[in-house]
Amino acid sequence: MAKKTVQTKWLLFAVLTVILSFQVSLYAQTEKGIELFNAYEFGKAEQLFRDQLKTDPGNTEAGYYLGLSLYMQKRYEDALAVFKGIKDAKKEIPHNNGRLEIMMTRICLELKKYPEALKSLEDAKAAKADPADIHVCQGGYYLETGDPKKAIAELEEAIKIDPDNAYAYYYAGYAYVRLGLPSDGEKALKKFLELAPYAPEAENVKILVDALC
């Protein structure tokens, strides 16, 4: 009887060791993907996260970074589909704080899906997203729907809260241009490029800045 008890304990220990090793491996893979993402290797990061999700489909952190990797490659529809999948599954992203909803808002604005953008923005507010990001997205919404003055008010508030929020300057730059203030627009867009040189919008922003100079 004692011998069987010892064998059972060893079997349980072996099983737990295998499970723990597998979890550690998955965590390391997620970290590697994030490292690739932070090194601007978005294609490689995408493939790694896709491979990881085949074996660990419930890994919302990997799913979130997969969406970000697609976004950075200007594959906005694909990124939005990934984010919607996470949202619809009602699974928590570690330390989310509304960042999923903010990204969905930004992409919907890019795709001119304004009702969806507004819904995602309300979800971001409910999730208590970063106040600066909320003002940025609200400003972006006003800009895209034809009210650059309201947009500026929101974006200036965002900059007060977070002077390094790149997208506050992005939307502000376009809003200033639409208001007939090209020098202010140029200044804001240059600040955006300084803060987010690898953003998917950077190429078009550079073209506009050159035209404003």
Side-chain angles (χ1 to χ4, degrees):
M1 183 68 179
K3 184 176 181 181
K4 288 184 177 180
T5 300
V6 171
Q7 289 176 336
T8 300
K9 287 182 177 180
W10 275 107
L11 179 60
L12 288 172
F13 176 76
V15 170
L16 288 172
T17 299
V18 170
I19 293 173
L20 181 60
S21 297
F22 180 67
Q23 290 176 334
V24 170
S25 175
L26 291 177
Y27 175 78
Q29 193 172 7
T30 301
E31 289 298 298
K32 177 61 177 175
I34 293 173
E35 286 179 10
L36 288 170
F37 178 85
N38 289 335
Y40 312 113
E41 297 280 357
F42 304 121
K44 291 181 180 179
E46 174 199 346
Q47 189 57 57
L48 190 149
F49 289 126
R50 286 194 185 281
D51 291 343
Q52 182 174 11
L53 288 167
K54 289 177 183 177
T55 56
D56 187 17
N59 190 324
T60 52
E61 187 79 351
Y64 176 72
Y65 272 95
L66 170 60
L68 287 182
S69 299
L70 293 166
Y71 169 78
M72 294 300 290
Q73 296 175 78
K74 301 184 182 180
R75 293 161 59 186
Y76 301 122
E77 291 283 5
D78 292 340
L80 186 59
V82 170
F83 291 141
K84 281 183 176 179
I86 297 172
K87 184 77 172 175
D88 292 344
K90 297 181 179 179
K91 293 182 178 179
E92 292 294 325
I93 300 173
H95 313 295
N96 178 30
N97 298 327
R99 55 187 174 134
L100 174 69
E101 291 79 9
I102 289 295
M103 284 305 305
M104 291 177 68
T105 304
R106 190 183 298 164
I107 293 172
C108 287
L109 289 175
E110 183 69 32
L111 295 173
K112 303 187 184 308
K113 296 182 177 184
Y114 302 130
E116 287 186 45
L118 193 57
K119 173 62 171 61
S120 293
L121 179 55
E122 292 304 313
D123 289 343
K125 293 176 182 178
K128 300 187 185 304
D130 183 284
D133 285 335
I134 290 175
H135 283 294
V136 167
C137 288
Q138 187 70 69
Y141 177 80
Y142 285 140
L143 173 66
E144 292 295 331
T145 54
D147 198 335
K149 286 186 178 180
K150 281 189 177 181
I152 288 296
E154 292 288 341
L155 298 166
E156 288 181 347
E157 187 63 29
I159 292 169
K160 287 180 185 177
I161 297 170
D162 180 9
D164 292 327
N165 191 308
Y167 282 89
Y169 298 98
Y170 171 73
Y171 291 120
Y174 281 94
Y176 283 129
V177 170
R178 291 187 188 182
L179 289 170
L181 300 168
S183 60
D184 290 337
E186 179 187 350
K187 182 179 177 181
L189 293 173
K190 283 183 176 179
K191 184 66 175 179
F192 168 73
L193 291 174
E194 176 187 325
L195 292 169
Y198 296 98
E201 301 87 356
E203 183 177 351
N204 287 336
V205 169
K206 289 176 183 176
I207 293 173
L208 179 56
V209 167
D210 290 341
L212 292 172
C213 289

